[in-house]
Each structure stands twice: as C-alpha cells, then as structure tokens.
Amino acid sequence: MKSEQIYISPVCWAVDDIVGKPLYAVLIIADGAEFAVDCTDYTTSKPCLLFLSPYQAFRWKGGGSVRMITFHGDFYCIEYHKKEVACNGILFNNIYLQPYVEVSAEIFSDVESIVQKLFDLQQAPSQLDVPIIRTYLQLVLALASKQKQLAMAEDRDLATAESDVMNFNSLLESNFVAKRSVSFYAGYYHLTVDAFSKKVKRQFGKTPSKLIQERLVLEAKKLLHLTHKSVKEIAAELNFEDEFYFSRYFKKEVGVSPKKFREEVGISIVAKK
C-alpha cells in the first residue's frame, strides 16, 4: 500500500531506483559527490543531505558512500506536517535554492544514526512500527530543515552584498504565469538579456529561462497534487492555449502526463475542494 511505502537503502547503486518514481527522497551522502538535479550540475566536497521531490529529474555521477530514504506522500504528507517540520519550500519544491545542504560531521552522524534505526526497523516490518518510522522520518526532516534555514540566512547576507537581482525570485513569483520572456525580466532591471542572464546564473546557479520553466512546472505539480481541479482547468489557470498543449509541455519536462502524475503522486489530504 502507498501509505506504508518507505524504503531505506544502504547502498549507492540503488540511487538510480528513484528516477521516474512518485516518491520523495532524502540522500545521505557521506563524502564529496557529483550529481545533476533538473539538468543542473552540482558538486559537493562535504557530507550533505540531498532532497528530491516526486518525478524530479536526477542523475548520480559518482562520489562517496550514500544511503537513501524514499517515501510516498501518502505515508508522510509534507504539506500536512508543515508546522512541525517546515520542510516544504525549504527542503523540497523550491527552484531557487540548492537541492542539498552541507552539514557538520556531528549533524551527519545524528542523521546516520536515525537512518540506521529506520533500516533496522525495515528488516522486520510490523504495523506497530509505522508511527515510529514516521517519527524518525520527521526528525530527519526537522534536523535538515534547521540546517537549511541556517545556510539560507548566510546566503542571503552574501547575496545582499553582491547582487542587484537578488529579488528576481519575488518578481518571477508575481509574473511567471503571464510573463515567460526573459526580456521582460531583463527590462525590469534595465539590463540586456545577456547581462541579466549572467547575473541570475551567478546568483541562483541557473539561467532565467530555466527558472521560468521550472517555476511553471512546479506550479503545475502543485495544482495537480494540492487541488481537485481538472487538467483543463489547470491548463487555463497557467495560461496555456489548451489542455493538450499543457499536457505535452508537462510530459516533456516531467516525463509523465499530468494525468499519470496525479494518479501516481495522488491528491494531498490538504487539497482544496
């Protein structure tokens, strides 16, 4: 059953198993590693925790030892538990932040200890263990969320000192449905498209066109998961010509159709009627 889906993987080769799956994933990476998320390359040199959402594009390129937790949203709904963990928009589903956070050896050891407990419970699963597993999972997410927020605070201070486009994310949040041209955003800052693109790439690690595209796809995923709106209604809300064009666009970027995504990921218990 989906409600009982949680897997603890102790080996590196199993990382590929999360590709094209309707699961959230937390990768506990012991040493430096190389990977790509949504076609953006990342290299880490310290222990880190990596967070992936259902059907997020991911490619492991190699590195140190890694363990992995995967879970379905029916098992642990991050939207429902946002007050306790505050991980949605921080660990998952945020195109403006790095999908991972580097942690100290002490925090990494704490997380590894919890993951080992999860792995031990999985060896002889019992229905009585489900609440314990959820509690351990919540603890991992809470620890990671705290570390990510501390890192975000440091990044904000650096960005304020170095960038004049640091509020591009706010501008994009207000306009991504109606305005999908990079020239619109460049014009707002009185910059050429080329100069603007370079500044955004330095600030966010992605080009503005990539961020616009990812923001549109993220909103489509949210509407499919957090509302009962039809695909046709979602297409109209996101300013697509029709539901067929929207479906083609979504499948090209995500790998599955909007209908398939909703069937596999499900509609959240906090979805608006």
Side-chain angles (χ1 to χ4, degrees):
M1 293 173 59
K2 284 182 179 178
S3 61
E4 297 177 8
Q5 283 188 353
I6 183 163
Y7 311 99
I8 314 301
S9 172
V11 289
C12 181
W13 57 262
V15 168
D16 291 337
D17 291 345
I18 61 176
V19 177
K21 297 290 178 62
L23 303 172
Y24 290 92
V26 182
L27 278 66
I28 299 92
I29 305 171
D31 304 298
E34 295 183 26
F35 48 83
V37 179
D38 292 328
C39 300
T40 299
D41 293 329
Y42 298 97
T43 300
T44 66
S45 58
K46 301 178 181 178
C48 71
L49 309 175
L50 169 64
F51 308 91
L52 301 170
S53 300
Y55 287 108
Q56 193 163 15
F58 172 74
R59 184 160 60 96
W60 178 259
K61 296 185 177 182
S65 62
V66 55
R67 301 185 84 172
M68 179 174 67
I69 303 170
T70 64
F71 60 97
H72 193 279
D74 287 351
F75 178 84
Y76 188 88
C77 177
I78 61 174
E79 294 88 8
Y80 182 79
H81 292 285
K82 61 184 179 182
K83 289 184 179 179
E84 296 94 332
V85 181
C87 64
N88 195 23
I90 295 179
L91 303 182
F92 304 99
N93 299 320
N94 193 318
I95 64 171
Y96 308 108
L97 301 176
Q98 289 182 335
Y100 67 91
V101 59
E102 293 183 338
V103 296
S104 66
E106 181 181 3
I107 295 296
F108 190 82
S109 178
D110 290 343
V111 172
E112 274 199 315
S113 176
I114 299 168
V115 171
Q116 185 60 49
K117 289 182 173 66
L118 283 167
F119 185 69
D120 292 341
L121 283 172
Q122 190 189 15
Q123 301 311 296
S126 163
Q127 198 62 31
L128 296 174
D129 294 331
V130 171
I132 301 173
I133 291 172
R134 284 201 184 97
T135 300
Y136 281 145
L137 175 59
Q138 183 168 301
L139 182 55
V140 169
L141 296 178
L143 284 169
S145 184
K146 179 180 179 180
Q147 294 302 304
K148 192 66 175 285
Q149 290 182 69
L150 291 172
M152 286 165 57
E154 294 178 1
D155 290 344
R156 273 196 299 270
D157 292 341
L158 182 62
T160 301
E162 294 186 354
S163 177
D164 57 356
V165 296
M166 66 165 294
N167 68 336
F168 169 60
N169 56 332
S170 298
L171 183 65
L172 182 56
E173 287 298 311
S174 300
N175 295 279
F176 72 91
V177 173
K179 305 292 185 181
R180 301 179 190 175
S181 169
V182 176
S183 60
F184 167 80
Y185 298 96
Y188 177 87
Y189 292 100
H190 307 291
L191 295 169
T192 65
V193 169
D194 184 56
F196 172 69
S197 296
K198 288 178 179 178
K199 285 179 176 287
V200 170
K201 181 69 180 293
R202 264 197 313 271
Q203 178 65 40
F204 298 98
K206 303 174 184 177
T207 64
S209 59
K210 177 69 173 172
L211 284 167
I212 294 167
Q213 179 188 67
E214 287 188 5
R215 185 61 186 88
L216 194 60
V217 169
L218 178 59
E219 190 65 19
K221 287 181 175 179
K222 286 181 177 180
L223 291 170
L224 289 165
H225 181 53
L226 298 177
T227 77
H228 291 267
K229 294 178 180 179
S230 67
V231 172
K232 184 176 181 179
E233 289 174 318
I234 293 172
E237 185 169 330
L238 295 180
N239 202 27
F240 282 87
E241 293 177 7
D242 55 55
E243 63 182 297
F244 305 106
Y245 176 43
F246 166 65
S247 294
R248 290 194 300 271
Y249 183 94
F250 187 90
K251 186 171 184 179
K252 179 183 177 182
E253 300 303 323
V254 181
V256 294
S257 68
K259 180 181 178 182
K260 181 70 171 177
F261 179 87
R262 175 172 270 174
E263 287 175 352
E264 294 294 323
V265 176
I267 296 179
S268 173
I269 60 174
V270 301
K272 298 176 182 177
K273 297 289 185 181

